Amino acid sequence: MNKKILPPLTQIPPHLQTIADYEKQAEQHLAENTWHYLQGGAMDEQSVRDNLEQFKKIQLIPRLLNDLTQGSTQCEILGEVFPHPIFLAPIGHQQLFHPDGESATALAAEVLGSNMLLSTFTNTDMRLIKKENPFKWFQLYWQGDREKSLALVRLAEQQNFKAIVITVDSPHTGIRDRERRVNFQLPEGMQHPHTPTHIPLPEISTDQHPVFQGLMQIAPTWADIEFMIAQTSLPVILKGVLHPLDAQKAVETGVKGLIVSNHGGRVLNSAISPLKALEQIRKVVPNDFPLLLDGGIRRGTDVFKALALGANAVLIGRPAIYGLSVAGALGVAHVLKILKEEFEITMALMGTARINEINQEYIFQD
């Protein structure tokens, strides 16, 4: 029996109060293989679970009786002031989840003052994303060579994107058992205006390895990052860094910020959770070096815990797509509103008036 797929909602029903509510509702709006693509991860999905579980191991220790009448969730990153530290992670192929795709997500981000990271694999041309909105960064998947990659950066510069985020943790797609079991495929003819879904591989001889001499031959290196930094006036941020030594090298190379991420557990199974990695990386980079955490955020308390461990902001991926699947731009906006309000109330109950007051003194770890 085929699953009945509900159309997107045009108004938010009262039972949708949390991200967990949205997750449950979203499944009803998506085809089964699309749902498994969204929820799945690499191999046995241990990293997907760990990303969530790490937040549960941290307890909050509130301070009381502070004057919070001047409270604010504003944060400053790379000289730009954002209304709050809840950003939208780069997610490709968003028309899988709603016909309006990234246009809907961008509208919600603008209304809620959230910084949006637009994926290279967007279904919506970046020239259709509102040029005047200052809160947007462009996420670059390396295009196999410098010339093609730089062409996308130049277009992002012209469209007033404020930073270039280079994803460096997925030179090879993760082994996703769940996707293969349901035979997930992108819809035939789905448009990706800025890149093909598969970068052409270099020709190799029969005695060469298709991964090491094939795919890895066109993967980016530190030299390519240096090249890109030299070619653009925009700050370059690396997404997917987990090792403190890579963080140190990024600082030395001229990278302006890092997104600590294991790609939502979708690439390398049993990779360290971003929350654990964040704590280690914060120790080895300058105090004012921007670190963003991506992965596992489901409540406003999670946002607080990430900031306490050294993040300057957080990114949400799957939660935003739950909202998009349920109700388009309205759903994404509501998801952001839920997290923003939960975070504001958490800050107030924790006795913190400003983002820069949040630190490890407010948390307890086993």
Side-chain angles (χ1 to χ4, degrees):
M1 185 176 177
N2 290 333
K3 169 187 172 184
K4 182 181 178 182
I5 301 171
L6 298 181
L9 304 178
T10 56
Q11 57 184 7
I12 305 300
H15 73 271
L16 294 180
Q17 298 289 332
T18 68
I19 305 305
D21 294 337
Y22 264 95
E23 180 176 3
K24 188 181 297 184
Q25 182 74 32
E27 185 175 6
Q28 301 178 52
H29 296 265
L30 297 174
E32 185 179 5
N33 62 353
T34 301
W35 175 251
H36 288 302
Y37 168 74
L38 173 62
Q39 292 291 84
M43 296 187 179
D44 63 8
E45 302 182 350
Q46 186 60 49
S47 286
V48 178
R49 294 188 292 275
D50 284 348
N51 288 3
L52 299 167
E53 290 297 321
Q54 291 306 316
F55 285 96
K56 298 176 183 177
K57 297 178 180 178
I58 297 174
Q59 294 174 293
L60 300 177
I61 316 173
R63 298 292 306 275
L64 308 176
L65 301 175
N66 293 335
D67 179 3
L68 303 178
T69 56
Q70 304 302 310
S72 171
T73 60
Q74 279 191 351
C75 62
E76 183 175 335
I77 299 173
L78 299 173
E80 191 171 8
V81 177
F82 299 92
H84 58 81
I86 304 167
F87 296 178
L88 292 178
I91 306 282
H93 326 302
Q94 290 193 19
Q95 285 180 356
L96 280 171
F97 312 105
H98 189 279
D100 295 341
E102 293 81 6
S103 295
T105 306
L107 176 60
E110 181 183 1
V111 171
L112 268 293
S114 183
N115 190 33
M116 177 185 179
L117 281 66
L118 183 71
S119 171
T120 297
F121 285 122
T122 172
N123 299 132
T124 304
D125 193 305
M126 73 169 84
R127 287 164 287 207
L128 299 177
I129 304 296
K130 189 173 179 181
K131 191 172 182 178
E132 296 76 22
N133 182 11
F135 302 139
K136 59 181 189 295
W137 296 350
F138 179 67
Q139 176 267 338
L140 174 70
Y141 277 116
W142 194 252
Q143 296 296 290
D145 66 44
R146 293 179 176 183
E147 184 179 336
K148 291 176 183 175
S149 300
L150 185 58
L152 287 180
V153 170
R154 291 283 180 254
L155 185 56
E157 291 172 339
Q158 293 166 16
Q159 296 307 307
N160 203 32
F161 284 78
K162 299 300 186 183
I164 301 298
V165 175
I166 304 178
T167 295
V168 294
D169 63 353
S170 56
H172 194 294
T173 303
I175 297 173
R176 299 179 191 168
D177 301 337
R178 194 200 297 213
E179 276 184 37
R180 294 190 296 191
R181 289 188 189 108
V182 299
N183 192 32
F184 173 80
Q185 303 286 334
L186 288 173
E188 196 170 334
M190 175 176 271
Q191 296 298 306
H192 294 87
H194 301 304
T195 184
T197 52
H198 298 287
I199 306 298
L201 293 174
E203 291 186 12
I204 60 173
S205 60
T206 54
D207 62 337
Q208 290 182 305
H209 197 282
V211 174
F212 299 110
Q213 282 81 47
L215 192 60
M216 299 311 291
Q217 193 181 144
I218 59 171
T221 65
W222 284 108
D224 294 316
I225 302 302
E226 290 176 2
F227 166 83
M228 197 60 73
I229 290 170
Q231 292 295 318
T232 181
S233 59
L234 294 178
V236 171
I237 297 165
L238 298 187
K239 179 176 181 289
V241 172
L242 293 171
H243 201 296
L245 293 179
D246 281 342
Q248 287 179 309
K249 182 151 188 171
V251 173
E252 295 163 4
T253 302
V255 169
K256 297 302 183 183
L258 296 176
I259 298 175
V260 182
S261 169
N262 63 13
H263 217 100
R266 297 170 69 81
V267 176
L268 177 65
N269 189 51
S270 74
I272 186 174
S273 72
L275 199 63
K276 279 185 176 178
L278 170 69
E279 191 173 8
Q280 300 306 312
I281 289 173
R282 178 46 79 192
K283 294 174 183 176
V284 302
V285 299
N287 290 336
D288 61 351
F289 187 80
L291 296 179
L292 292 80
L293 179 127
D294 166 59
I297 299 290
R298 296 295 185 273
R299 309 262 2 185
T301 46
D302 298 337
V303 180
F304 189 98
K305 292 170 185 179
L307 268 55
L309 286 172
N312 298 91
V314 302
L315 278 63
I316 60 168
R318 290 183 180 94
I321 298 302
Y322 300 151
L324 181 66
S325 304
V326 170
L330 184 62
V332 179
H334 192 217
V335 161
L336 284 167
K337 182 173 181 285
I338 288 169
L339 286 172
K340 181 174 175 291
E341 290 179 351
E342 288 183 355
F343 176 59
E344 291 166 350
I345 292 168
T346 300
M347 278 187 66
L349 294 175
M350 290 297 294
T352 50
R354 302 278 175 175
I355 294 290
N356 60 9
E357 295 175 14
I358 302 171
N359 58 45
Q360 292 203 34
E361 294 177 4
Y362 291 89
I363 60 174
F364 175 79
Q365 300 186 74
D366 291 327

